[in-house]
Amino acid sequence: MYVFKFGGASVKSANEVRNVANIIKMYSDTNLMIVVSAMGKITNALEQLTEYYFTGDKESAEKLFVEIKSYHVDIAKNLFNNNNGQFIRHLEDKFKSFESMLEKAPGENYNFEYDRIVSMGEELSAMIISHYLNEAGLNNRWFNANDIVITDARYRDAQVYWDKTQVAVEEKLLPFFDNASKNSSQAIAIIQGFVGGTTAGYTTTLGREGSDYTAAVLAYTLNAREVVIWKDVPGLLNADPKLVKQNILLPNISYREAIELAYYGAKVIHPKTLKPLLNKNISLRVKSFYEPGNEGTLINYNEKYDGETPSYIFKFNQVMLSIYPKDFSFIAEDNLSHIFSEFARHNLRINMMQNSAISFTVCFDYDRTKTPALVDGLKKLFNIECIYDKELLTIRHYKKADINPFIEDRIVILEQKTSDTLQLLVKKQE
Ligand code: ASP
Ligand code: MG
């Protein structure tokens, strides 16, 4: 069995959905578990809608709701050439109940409301794609993620209960696949990515970009052979193509290397995705949905090629914070433990740090609310020097890299090296 994940870009219009059907046709000899994201940029729109709903901006909410609705209805009409009136009515009914949900006043828990609203993107996507594939002769069944991916009630950042999810998978999904195997036919199941449900039946979401993780959770619990993430790029590249024109495809890297890349901020795959796959040795492929015949990138146990190509990871909007004890004493363990707990309390992750006798310097992603709160907290005990808007460049396997083109118009203000990773905090030359 394969687990496929189709991200937002791969289902952003009727043409893309038709392409999904063509790809599925290429895999007619294996069972398929298909995880779908919300169509196009709908998750962003739904986030915005939640904001309007919660702040009581009815006019903007109404306008955006209409846009979201017509986007989906247009895709459905295009896919079914207008002659599937029943399904279109069904879709419109769905929007009616969505609308009446928005007419009621929101509850107090923002994250709870967020999950109810934002998860609609995946639900609509699964509903349309499942129906379209059935019409196209690719018989499939849509399983609701709320009943399968069982999570705690940490809305917006729900944690998967592995045991409960395993049970749900064995009760609901496995019989579906097993029956098909008995009849020697192919089984195709569809499910929403990014969405889960609590044991009490409330909808949760797993954090932005969480559909990759859904694919990994299902692959793990179903003992799948391989996960394929279909993307609008040829595979994993050694640099973001928007930033570096001359990028190279990485044909094969290890789980470990992929985890490192994700850790340093490469927007490759959702960072939580790799661990479950590694634990069961399930390989992961990242492939282009425009060129499904190409191999893309394979991620598995093989570490042989990891060091062959340097990878470049850029992080912008970095804060560099230098911390000095007020009494000119040394930075010692008790200071450090206080500093770290402040970062943890504000849920801020340190990207790079350096310690000297009288100061401790860290760099982290700027956040509109968390950064000032952190700085205010630290100011009580320390003298603080804070500079904004820096760039962090991380280079994996830097010994093979030509770094000059990236820093010739930059000044390096902080540098750190391990045997295979170089990090440079830089600023533009003034
Ligand atoms: N649709 C969700 C998002 O955009 C989940 C995903 O695409 O992975 O964050
Ligand atoms: Mg996505």
Side-chain angles (χ1 to χ4, degrees), residues 87-105:
F87 179 74
I88 304 293
R89 273 194 299 282
H90 181 46
L91 190 61
E92 278 169 348
D93 283 348
K94 187 94 217 156
F95 275 101
K96 250 182 226 141
S97 51
F98 186 14
E99 197 170 15
S100 42
M101 175 172 125
L102 296 174
E103 273 155 14
K104 296 193 188 91

Side-chain angles (χ1 to χ4, degrees), residues 5 8 37-38 43 122 194 207-212:
K5 181 253 171 168
S37 289
T43 306
E122 268 67 16
F194 168 64
R208 287 301 307 266
E209 304 299 330
S211 296
D212 292 351

Side-chain angles (χ1 to χ4, degrees), residues 4 18-29 32 132-133 136-138 186 188:
F4 282 1
R18 287 189 194 98
N19 187 35
V20 168
N22 290 333
I23 289 175
I24 292 173
K25 281 181 193 147
M26 294 169 61
Y27 290 82
S28 59
D29 56 354
L32 293 176
Y132 174 72
L133 294 178
L138 295 162
Q186 181 195 25
I188 305 175

Side-chain angles (χ1 to χ4, degrees), residues 35-255:
V35 178
V36 295
S37 289
M39 296 174 147
K41 301 245 178 280
I42 283 298
T43 306
N44 292 349
L46 289 166
E47 271 190 347
Q48 185 66 61
L49 182 65
T50 311
E51 195 66 36
Y52 292 147
Y53 171 60
F54 218 77
T55 53
D57 185 348
K58 289 217 168 74
E59 207 176 303
S60 307
E62 181 64 34
K63 194 163 158 269
L64 186 54
F65 177 84
V66 171
E67 280 171 29
I68 293 169
K69 178 177 167 182
S70 38
Y71 174 76
H72 288 93
V73 172
D74 285 352
I75 290 181
K77 284 189 173 158
N78 185 326
L79 284 172
F80 305 118
N81 293 326
N82 279 329
N83 51 27
N84 202 310
Q86 208 187 341
F87 179 74
I88 304 293
R89 273 194 299 282
H90 181 46
L91 190 61
E92 278 169 348
D93 283 348
K94 187 94 217 156
F95 275 101
K96 250 182 226 141
S97 51
F98 186 14
E99 197 170 15
S100 42
M101 175 172 125
L102 296 174
E103 273 155 14
K104 296 193 188 91
E108 272 173 19
N109 185 341
Y110 180 85
N111 293 343
F112 176 83
E113 303 292 346
Y114 174 103
D115 282 359
R116 282 208 306 164
I117 295 172
V118 174
S119 62
M120 283 300 291
E122 268 67 16
E123 187 168 336
L124 291 159
S125 174
M127 182 176 161
I128 295 170
I129 293 166
S130 168
H131 189 74
Y132 174 72
L133 294 178
N134 275 326
E135 293 283 300
L138 295 162
N139 287 334
N140 70 88
R141 196 157 120 202
W142 167 26
F143 289 83
N144 199 335
N146 299 47
D147 308 326
I148 309 258
V149 180
I150 311 298
T151 71
D152 66 7
R154 235 184 290 174
Y155 298 101
R156 265 185 102 167
D157 184 30
Q159 307 298 308
V160 170
Y161 285 140
W162 284 92
D163 294 351
K164 293 191 172 87
T165 301
Q166 183 71 53
V167 172
V169 163
E170 278 167 20
E171 276 175 3
K172 297 183 175 106
L173 281 174
L174 269 185
F176 173 72
F177 287 116
D178 287 346
N179 273 340
S181 304
K182 268 183 220 139
N183 304 326
S184 328
S185 59
Q186 181 195 25
I188 305 175
I190 314 272
I191 196 165
Q192 310 98 290
F194 168 64
V195 173
T198 65
T199 43
Y202 293 110
T203 304
T204 56
T205 64
L206 311 177
R208 287 301 307 266
E209 304 299 330
S211 296
D212 292 351
Y213 184 52
T214 302
V217 169
L218 292 170
Y220 183 93
T221 48
L222 285 163
N223 286 317
R225 179 141 60 105
E226 185 167 301
V227 174
V228 184
I229 296 184
W230 296 93
K231 273 183 162 306
D232 56 356
V233 288
L236 295 192
L237 304 171
N238 76 329
D240 182 341
K242 286 189 207 101
L243 302 170
V244 182
K245 288 272 163 312
Q246 272 161 335
N247 51 73
I248 318 175
L249 176 80
L250 305 169
N252 181 197
I253 59 169
S254 69
Y255 298 114

